[in-house]
Amino acid sequence: MNLEEKKVSGEVLYRGKVVTLEKDKVQCSNGKEAYREVIRHSGGAAILCMDADSRVLLIRQFRYAYQEVLWEIPAGKLEKEELPEQAARRELEEETGVKATNLTYLMQIYPSCGYTSERIYLYLVRDFDMTSVCWDEDEQMEISWIEYDKVKEMIRNGIIKDAKTICAIMAYEARREENA
Amino acid sequence: MNLEEKKVSGEVLYRGKVVTLEKDKVQCSNGKEAYREVIRHSGGAAILCMDADSRVLLIRQFRYAYQEVLWEIPAGKLEKEELPEQAARRELEEETGVKATNLTYLMQIYPSCGYTSERIYLYLVRDFDMTSVCWDEDEQMEISWIEYDKVKEMIRNGIIKDAKTICAIMAYEARREENA
């Protein structure tokens, strides 16, 4: 079945710091016309970092859109012309002072495929050195090391709600099963 | 540590069909001022539906923001004043012709906490009757029943990239472990 939608016309409604908003007129594969609102985003990188005792590096950060402090793995936006792996290394060190000596690609996820173009690239870090944090002026967070089984319990209990964090744990579980 | 950010002022830049875009000036907990771009979204409901043979109901749909046909569990936006569970039942039936006779709440996820307020509510359906599909005029998809272990392989292999689908499988795995 042909499912593709073709762009008929489009306009950029807003260019921001984090998101750009576009509205396109499209032709659906059944011939009907429709409008699609699209959030353009440069993409993100997120890091599941675990120490030798299988403790997971989590941060707590106030997320304005939800008006809540959330538990998350370290993550950040790709800078212009930055590769996902570079962004992962940079964000991990800036946010938590952890300098990865080894980094494994886990998977990419599409966080909300109905309206955003954002891709989040997930990495695993098991080997690292400690340096010091370097937060942006408008960035504040708490850093914790939480036992792996406790993190899974926090997902089960709904304490961890952030999709990239849940997906990173799922990706890690899948790797473990594969190697078992 | 106080991590909260307080709204100083705000404006609505765009009110759309799927998203509303706001830009707020905030005061960070360290006293600094910053701007936050926020996508307001009514929320979504998504359904992990499995038959008696542990086959998972997946749809393939063209997602304009990614210009790709994606594998996903059935899902949709909450209508005005609709409860997540109502939306889950409605979307499942409209998209796939599956009428849930029993529905279990799994978890809620925050798909991309840096800029969207969207919450996606995940449900599990094991008991259902078959009716007929009722797609929106601009909606077209393919429906498949895929073996559970194959779905997990598709996540491992990067064929399934949609975050809500991966999180729903993670939530199901977590329940299985808890009940084991």
Side-chain angles (χ1 to χ4, degrees):
Chain A
M1 192 196 269
N2 175 27
L3 298 165
E4 204 171 324
E5 296 172 355
K6 285 193 192 336
K7 181 172 174 171
V8 176
S9 60
E11 52 179 331
V12 176
L13 299 176
Y14 173 76
R15 272 186 218 281
K17 195 181 156 200
V18 177
V19 299
T20 290
L21 175 62
E22 295 174 8
K23 186 178 176 183
D24 285 6
K25 190 182 194 175
V26 304
Q27 187 174 44
C28 304
S29 54
N30 63 3
K32 303 279 181 192
E33 286 193 341
Y35 286 92
R36 300 286 175 235
E37 295 160 4
V38 178
I39 303 295
R40 299 277 167 214
H41 185 282
S42 62
I47 310 96
L48 177 61
C49 177
M50 288 170 66
D51 69 9
D53 298 324
S54 291
R55 294 182 313 160
V56 176
L57 180 57
L58 290 184
I59 60 172
R60 291 182 71 234
Q61 196 173 3
F62 183 79
R63 291 303 201 164
Y64 188 76
Y66 293 106
Q67 293 288 307
E68 270 180 57
V69 175
L70 298 185
W71 289 95
E72 300 168 49
I73 55 173
K77 222 162 59 81
L78 270 57
E79 302 292 348
K80 214 177 165 191
E81 297 182 18
E82 191 178 40
L83 294 172
E85 182 176 326
Q86 291 171 325
R89 288 179 183 277
R90 179 183 50 74
E91 288 286 351
L92 182 62
E93 189 168 357
E94 285 177 4
E95 288 193 342
T96 68
V98 168
K99 192 177 170 65
T101 48
N102 209 325
L103 192 119
T104 310
Y105 173 72
L106 286 173
M107 61 165 63
Q108 62 169 310
I109 59 166
Y110 291 3
S112 191
C113 53
Y115 60 92
T116 179
S117 74
E118 183 186 13
R119 290 171 164 82
I120 304 176
Y121 301 87
L122 304 178
Y123 293 90
L124 175 67
V125 166
R126 298 298 312 252
D127 304 307
F128 54 85
D129 298 316
M130 292 305 297
T131 62
S132 53
V133 301
C134 175
W135 295 340
D136 292 342
E137 196 175 80
D138 65 347
E139 203 173 50
Q140 281 196 290
M141 59 194 81
E142 280 177 9
I143 297 161
S144 314
W145 290 91
I146 313 268
E147 270 178 53
Y148 185 77
D149 286 343
K150 173 76 183 166
V151 172
K152 283 178 65 180
E153 192 187 309
M154 288 164 77
I155 293 174
R156 265 201 313 275
N157 296 347
I159 294 168
I160 293 176
K161 287 172 280 200
D162 173 53
K164 65 179 178 297
T165 303
I166 299 168
C167 289
I169 296 292
M170 179 70 210
Y172 181 74
E173 292 276 307
R175 280 175 67 91
R176 277 217 300 199
E177 274 182 38
E178 201 173 19
N179 298 332
Chain B
M1 191 196 268
N2 175 26
L3 297 165
E4 202 171 325
E5 296 172 355
K6 285 193 191 336
K7 181 173 175 170
V8 176
S9 61
E11 51 179 332
V12 176
L13 299 176
Y14 173 76
R15 271 186 218 281
K17 195 182 156 200
V18 176
V19 298
T20 290
L21 175 62
E22 295 174 7
K23 186 177 177 185
D24 285 6
K25 189 181 194 178
V26 304
Q27 186 174 43
C28 303
S29 54
N30 62 4
K32 302 279 180 194
E33 285 192 343
Y35 286 93
R36 300 286 176 236
E37 295 160 4
V38 178
I39 303 296
R40 298 276 166 214
H41 185 282
S42 62
I47 311 94
L48 176 62
C49 177
M50 289 170 66
D51 70 8
D53 298 324
S54 292
R55 294 181 313 160
V56 176
L57 179 58
L58 289 184
I59 60 173
R60 290 182 71 235
Q61 198 174 1
F62 183 78
R63 291 304 201 164
Y64 187 77
Y66 294 106
Q67 294 288 306
E68 270 180 57
V69 175
L70 298 185
W71 289 95
E72 301 167 50
I73 56 173
K77 223 163 58 79
L78 270 56
E79 302 293 346
K80 215 179 164 190
E81 297 183 18
E82 192 177 40
L83 294 172
E85 183 177 325
Q86 291 172 324
R89 288 180 183 276
R90 179 182 52 72
E91 289 286 351
L92 181 62
E93 188 168 357
E94 284 177 4
E95 289 192 343
T96 67
V98 169
K99 192 177 169 67
T101 47
N102 209 326
L103 192 121
T104 309
Y105 174 72
L106 286 173
M107 62 165 63
Q108 62 170 311
I109 59 166
Y110 292 3
S112 192
C113 54
Y115 60 92
T116 179
S117 74
E118 184 188 12
R119 292 172 162 82
I120 304 176
Y121 300 87
L122 304 178
Y123 293 90
L124 175 67
V125 166
R126 297 298 311 252
D127 304 307
F128 53 85
D129 298 315
M130 291 306 296
T131 62
S132 53
V133 301
C134 175
W135 295 341
D136 293 341
E137 197 175 80
D138 64 348
E139 203 174 49
Q140 281 197 291
M141 60 195 82
E142 281 176 9
I143 297 162
S144 315
W145 291 91
I146 314 268
E147 270 178 53
Y148 186 77
D149 286 343
K150 173 77 182 167
V151 173
K152 282 178 66 180
E153 192 187 309
M154 289 164 76
I155 293 174
R156 266 203 311 275
N157 297 347
I159 294 168
I160 293 175
K161 286 172 281 201
D162 172 53
K164 66 179 177 296
T165 303
I166 299 169
C167 288
I169 296 291
M170 180 70 211
Y172 181 74
E173 292 275 307
R175 279 175 67 91
R176 277 218 298 201
E177 272 183 38
E178 201 173 20
N179 298 332

